[in-house]
Amino acid sequence: MARMQRFLFQFLNILAAISIVHCQSGDSLTPNSSLRNGQSLTSPGGIFQLGFFTPISGSVQGYIAIWYNNSSVTERKVVWIANRNQSVNTSTSILNFTSHGNLILFDKGTDVSWSTGTSTAQNSAQLQLKDSGNLVLTVAGGSDGNGGSKETLWQSFDHPSDTLLPGMRLGVDYRTNTLWQLVSWKSVTNPSPGSYAFKMETRGVPEIFLWNDSSKIFRTGPWNDKGSFSGNPRMKNRDISSQLEFNFVSNSSMVYYSTQYKVGWSVLTRAVMNASGQYERWNWESGGWLHFWSVPEEDCDRYASCGRNSICTWDYSIKSCDCLEGFAPAPKNGSLGCDRKKPLSCASNRVLKVIAKLPDTENATIRGLMSLGACNDVCTNDCSCVAYALVGENGCVTWEGDLLDLRNFPDGGDVLYIRLEGSSRRSKLVWEIAVPVFLAFLLLCIVFFWRRSRAGKQDCNETGPETSSVRDDTSLLTCPSKGDRGDCRSLSPMAFDVSDSRSRTMTMTMTRSRSRSRSINSETYGPSNEGAGRLDILEALPSYDLSTIKAATNDFSIDNKLGEGGFGVVYMVCVHMFLASQVIFSFLMTINLVRKLSRMGVSVTMARGV
Ligand SMILES: *[C@@H]1O[C@H](CO)[C@@H](O)[C@H](O)[C@H]1NC(C)=O
Ligand SMILES: *[C@@H]1O[C@H](CO)[C@@H](O)[C@H](O)[C@H]1NC(C)=O
Ligand SMILES: *[C@@H]1O[C@H](CO)[C@@H](O)[C@H](O)[C@H]1NC(C)=O
Ligand SMILES: *[C@@H]1O[C@H](CO)[C@@H](O)[C@H](O)[C@H]1NC(C)=O
Ligand SMILES: *[C@@H]1O[C@H](CO)[C@@H](O)[C@H](O)[C@H]1NC(C)=O
Ligand SMILES: *[C@@H]1O[C@H](CO)[C@@H](O)[C@H](O)[C@H]1NC(C)=O
Ligand SMILES: *[C@@H]1O[C@H](CO)[C@@H](O)[C@H](O)[C@H]1NC(C)=O
Ligand SMILES: *[C@@H]1O[C@H](CO)[C@@H](O)[C@H](O)[C@H]1NC(C)=O
Ligand SMILES: *[C@@H]1O[C@H](CO)[C@@H](O)[C@H](O)[C@H]1NC(C)=O
Ligand SMILES: *[C@@H]1O[C@H](CO)[C@@H](O)[C@H](O)[C@H]1NC(C)=O
Ligand SMILES: *[C@@H]1O[C@H](CO)[C@@H](O)[C@H](O)[C@H]1NC(C)=O
């Protein structure tokens, strides 16, 4: 009898040992089982593995980690680490899944290095590594005894390390005060928390910031209605968009950003907050990891690299900063950026439309869903409002104080309306421009015929910039007479003073800006000395300032849109405004303007009035 008992006991022991071995090489752990160095769990599809990981080969100091099973050991890509703060001696440590449903990593046999801190009275607890890379601790059913369903007690996806996998969330759960953030490794061989964090900031309008300890180094911008972040059009790289869905959820209980594989996905993808301060996206394709993009990439990505109230442009690898309209460079006393030339008065209701990365939303206010007109009213009725925009599901958003971290993109960006000093009504503006233009045209022709009759056959000479009455850096392009194919290219100084503001001077004139400063007035465009090779072409073309074109196209109204071409959108201009164009302006356009505007996402072609 005793022999029989001993045999049975040994038999059960063998069975237990087999089941333990089975568990350890499988995808799950059950209560009372454990994992030692050299043992691992592999997800059902063989994509991920969990086990002990030593970042420095030959060292015994290690971590419990999840990595891609497919990569070779030397280039093992770790996506999650349990005990980041406290490494263990791998030869003496053990990962135990207790009978109470707690997962504990013991160093030297008994010292607790890390644990999930979970507990359950039920002995149905299970720990499973999924093919998503998520380690999930579940117990069967809810308290309602709903057979079959599982309740998640803990999951590694709620405790990100430095890697964002599809299905993980980056954000905040307001109910539990949980922060889902990525924190970089200290160095490539030290997984303990480094100084870079990629995390959601929820003040104002939620957006994700890349922090270097306590300084902001990059900002995604708020989520827009195009389904991406305002500050990273590259995020939705075409090759990734076909495989991945991008989600942004913001409601009263949580706000998060996440990605999800689309049906039929064929690549593995991960995004990493890396140890040198870059957030990178990588795809596993045809046997290797392919780098897709990383941020911050260009100088303009660096947080507020142009300072306040200034817009950053990255053009052929050169960074330039332009003050916003109505702002001038701040005195060079150490503060970067631009200040208003004149303080904004409460009655100010002029607005400037720019297409850019929306400014820092930390101090912005969400006003809810409404029309653009209503949003404009909200802003212009609030003395402290300096800008507004419609931002996806937030609806109307208004800014106050300084506008920080604006940049433009070759393509992409969002529409932002910046409030300017002064007041205007659009119809008034049209007449303000059209009447002087027409009068000036008449005057010009009178002058022309008068000079012609006086000069007889005498050559008429170009009137140099020196004599120009309005701008000393302008000379004029004026009406070539039909009969008189002329040497007579420029006639007399002429300027159309639309208002006393210099910025609104209607520059039907050839501008040869001597100053290379692009920061004085962002609304006046004309060929400048840069790119002297193009001056020959440009000399034949007049330039218009943006407000003129805005007025002529009724603020780039859809009604005036003719179509879209290589340059972007093509607009028709109002006839009554451009009577003079019958002679002077037909089909003329300055290349510089096209370049400037196309940077802002629009291009304009002067078409003969309809
Ligand atoms: C890793 O995954 C491959 C399939 O991609 C599978 O054949 C292999 O068994 C896995 N490794 C382990 C240790 O399970
Ligand atoms: C794992 O690697 C093998 C060989 O490189 C490859 O054929 C297989 O598709 C990979 N599995 C996954 C899930 O990427
Ligand atoms: C690591 O330790 C720091 C401070 O000691 C703590 O704030 C942080 O939550 C810990 N991180 C983890 C992942 O345990
Ligand atoms: C790790 O544990 C082994 C076995 O107890 C011991 O010989 C070794 O010195 C330990 N190493 C470290 C770095 O603690
Ligand atoms: C785990 O072990 C304890 C003590 O040996 C036992 O009471 C419990 O039933 C076991 N739990 C499971 C799920 O096997
Ligand atoms: C961990 O589990 C092993 C085997 O399951 C057991 O021998 C050991 O006592 C456990 N360690 C602790 C500290 O509970
Ligand atoms: C917020 O969104 C999450 C995810 O879509 C959803 O599960 C939750 O019920 C929502 N909460 C509220 C209050 O709408
Ligand atoms: C971080 O990412 C950047 C850009 O992809 C790369 O140049 C750099 O080597 C990466 N650093 C680390 C530590 O991986
Ligand atoms: C982060 O801050 C440290 C210390 O101020 C600095 O040395 C490092 O260059 C910064 N990293 C980046 C990417 O700006
Ligand atoms: C620089 O000058 C501006 C305007 O005079 C002032 O508002 C700002 O505080 C000054 N900044 C520093 C760092 O002195
Ligand atoms: C928001 O307001 C606070 C307090 O006035 C200020 O310190 C901070 O710089 C502002 N942030 C931005 C982005 O303007």
Side-chain angles (χ1 to χ4, degrees), residues 178-411:
T178 308
L179 178 64
W180 300 295
Q181 65 170 338
L182 304 180
V183 177
S184 71
W185 289 20
K186 263 213 167 72
S187 75
V188 281
T189 52
N190 184 356
S192 57
S195 49
Y196 302 103
F198 198 61
K199 82 183 203 206
M200 184 81 72
E201 300 298 329
T202 56
R203 266 191 70 188
V205 186
E207 51 181 345
I208 299 173
F209 278 90
L210 200 169
W211 293 86
N212 181 2
D213 288 326
S214 58
S215 52
K216 298 173 175 177
I217 56 175
F218 172 76
R219 185 176 68 91
T220 59
W223 192 257
N224 61 24
D225 50 8
K226 300 178 204 103
S228 69
F229 289 108
S230 174
N232 190 9
R234 284 159 299 198
M235 190 185 89
K236 290 186 79 175
N237 181 303
R238 210 170 289 145
D239 301 304
I240 293 173
S241 308
S242 63
Q243 303 276 334
L244 266 191
E245 227 170 72
F246 297 86
N247 311 303
F248 192 90
V249 169
S250 180
N251 61 34
S252 59
S253 55
M254 60 185 81
V255 53
Y256 65 83
Y257 159 70
S258 74
T259 58
Q260 205 78 50
Y261 286 118
K262 284 185 176 171
V263 177
W265 55 279
S266 62
V267 299
L268 296 174
T269 183
R270 64 193 168 94
V272 185
M273 179 66 257
N274 87 16
S276 41
Q278 301 244 333
Y279 178 71
E280 315 171 277
R281 174 147 312 269
W282 294 86
N283 279 11
W284 175 270
E285 268 172 273
S286 47
W289 286 107
L290 210 67
H291 176 262
F292 265 73
W293 50 255
S294 52
V295 286
E297 189 185 39
E298 302 155 352
D299 283 356
C300 283
D301 282 336
R302 296 229 141 233
Y303 181 75
S305 70
C306 281
R308 62 190 183 276
N309 307 310
S310 184
I311 186 160
C312 189
T313 303
W314 187 251
D315 209 358
Y316 304 107
S317 301
I318 294 167
K319 180 186 120 178
S320 59
C321 297
D322 296 278
C323 287
L324 295 169
E325 163 81 6
F327 290 79
K332 284 199 173 68
N333 59 357
S335 70
L336 190 62
C338 312
D339 294 319
R340 252 180 222 281
K341 292 180 196 160
K342 270 194 274 177
L344 203 58
S345 68
C346 275
S348 302
N349 66 358
R350 283 175 61 214
V351 292
L352 172 72
K353 176 181 175 179
V354 289
I355 296 171
K357 172 178 179 176
L358 297 174
D360 192 330
T361 53
E362 184 186 358
N363 296 332
T365 310
I366 298 175
R367 309 283 187 160
L369 294 173
M370 63 180 79
S371 69
L372 186 60
C375 190
N376 174 297
D377 292 347
V378 167
C379 182
T380 51
N381 288 331
D382 176 354
C383 285
S384 60
C385 177
V386 297
Y388 64 90
L390 295 182
V391 189
E393 289 183 358
N394 303 294
C396 179
V397 169
T398 58
W399 280 261
E400 54 185 82
D402 289 325
L403 299 175
L404 281 174
D405 195 34
L406 286 150
R407 67 159 295 180
N408 42 65
F409 297 102
D411 48 22

Side-chain angles (χ1 to χ4, degrees), residues 32-34 94 96 106 109-110:
N32 289 346
S33 61
S34 57
I94 186 164
N96 279 14
F106 291 104
T110 51

